[in-house]
Amino acid sequence: MKRPLVCSVRPLAVLWAASAVLLFGFAAAPTPTHAQPKTVSITLLSTTDLHGRIEPWDYFTNKPADLGLAKIATLVKRERVKTPDALLVDVGDMVQDPQSTLTNYFLAKHPKSLNPMIAVMNRMGYDAMAVGNHEFNFAPEPMWTLKGDSHFPWLGANVTQSYTQGAPYFKPYIIKTIKGVRVGIVAFVAPVVEPVAGYRLEPIVESAKQV
């Protein structure tokens, strides 16, 4: 017997249009035949197009701004008090931005060190991230370092790749069990970037049919 499912989606940050799309499929866990069906509510917290923003500061106008992971972390902490098992995901384009002084410094001067964006996202406990088209700006080695330092998977179901494991490999999806329900998280990269050695981006719709 399947359980009716309600998913509450709460976007926490949107700076520009998303560079990748994150979709969710839900499969109900089996229940005893004598059990009454019940509604399961799952909260999804999402960010997108963070572009290296940690502090609440607009590097373009050089003024304080209502954005950045520091502020988002407060919102996430507040939500998790109410729903401790809420999922937290990012929809890509996480680190790239010419005006993000702090993250660019680490990318340019300390590319093998833990990037501040990854450090903060690890601390916040992200469940998954859709690899964005701008993540490929740093392919291959810097992107692999960022991904390898992440405590959460980078997903890309429409990424055809010659890699099968380790930091270069992108999983198409993951499955988590929340409140007894198996939740599938699948991600697709906007196919707008030039091919990178070892990778090819396929059309999203056709790739979704094969997941």
Side-chain angles (χ1 to χ4, degrees):
M1 185 177 295
K2 295 185 177 181
R3 307 183 192 184
L5 184 68
V6 175
C7 182
S8 173
V9 181
R10 305 186 188 186
L12 297 175
V14 178
L15 301 183
W16 296 283
S19 60
V21 179
L22 193 60
L23 303 179
F24 295 82
F26 301 91
T31 58
T33 55
H34 62 272
Q36 295 296 320
K38 68 175 183 178
T39 297
V40 177
S41 179
I42 294 177
T43 298
L44 168 64
L45 309 176
S46 66
T47 55
T48 186
D49 291 87
L50 293 170
H51 287 285
R53 297 320 202 254
I54 298 176
E55 298 293 336
W57 189 266
D58 189 325
Y59 295 105
F60 182 74
T61 62
N62 202 30
K63 295 180 180 179
D66 191 21
L67 49 77
L69 279 177
K71 281 181 171 287
I72 294 170
T74 301
L75 298 177
V76 170
K77 184 176 181 180
R78 185 184 304 161
E79 288 296 327
R80 281 177 170 160
V81 170
K82 297 182 291 185
T83 53
D85 51 8
L87 290 169
L88 176 61
V89 299
D90 185 71
V91 194
D93 290 359
M94 168 269 300
V95 73
Q96 176 274 339
D97 196 304
Q99 297 161 0
S100 180
T101 307
L102 179 61
T103 53
N104 283 330
Y105 172 80
F106 272 80
L107 284 167
K109 301 296 184 180
H110 303 283
K112 296 295 183 180
S113 299
L114 179 62
N115 191 279
M117 283 294 291
I118 300 299
V120 175
M121 293 175 75
N122 286 344
R123 184 66 180 267
M124 290 173 63
Y126 272 80
D127 291 285
M129 185 186 91
V131 57
N133 57 288
H134 281 300
E135 266 67 71
F136 285 94
N137 287 22
F138 307 104
E141 277 80 7
M143 179 178 70
W144 294 344
T145 298
L146 293 167
K147 180 175 176 291
D149 287 338
S150 301
H151 296 171
F152 47 89
W154 292 26
L155 307 177
N158 64 321
V159 179
T160 298
Q161 52 200 313
S162 59
Y163 310 101
T164 59
Q165 61 184 351
Y169 173 68
F170 295 104
K171 293 182 178 180
Y173 63 87
I174 60 170
I175 296 177
K176 299 180 73 71
T177 299
I178 308 295
K179 298 180 180 178
V181 175
R182 299 180 73 225
V183 181
I185 305 175
V186 59
F188 303 93
V189 187
V192 295
V193 296
E194 294 296 324
V196 178
Y199 299 101
R200 187 173 71 251
L201 302 183
E202 306 292 350
I204 291 176
V205 175
E206 294 304 314
S207 298
K209 294 177 181 178
Q210 301 175 25
V211 174

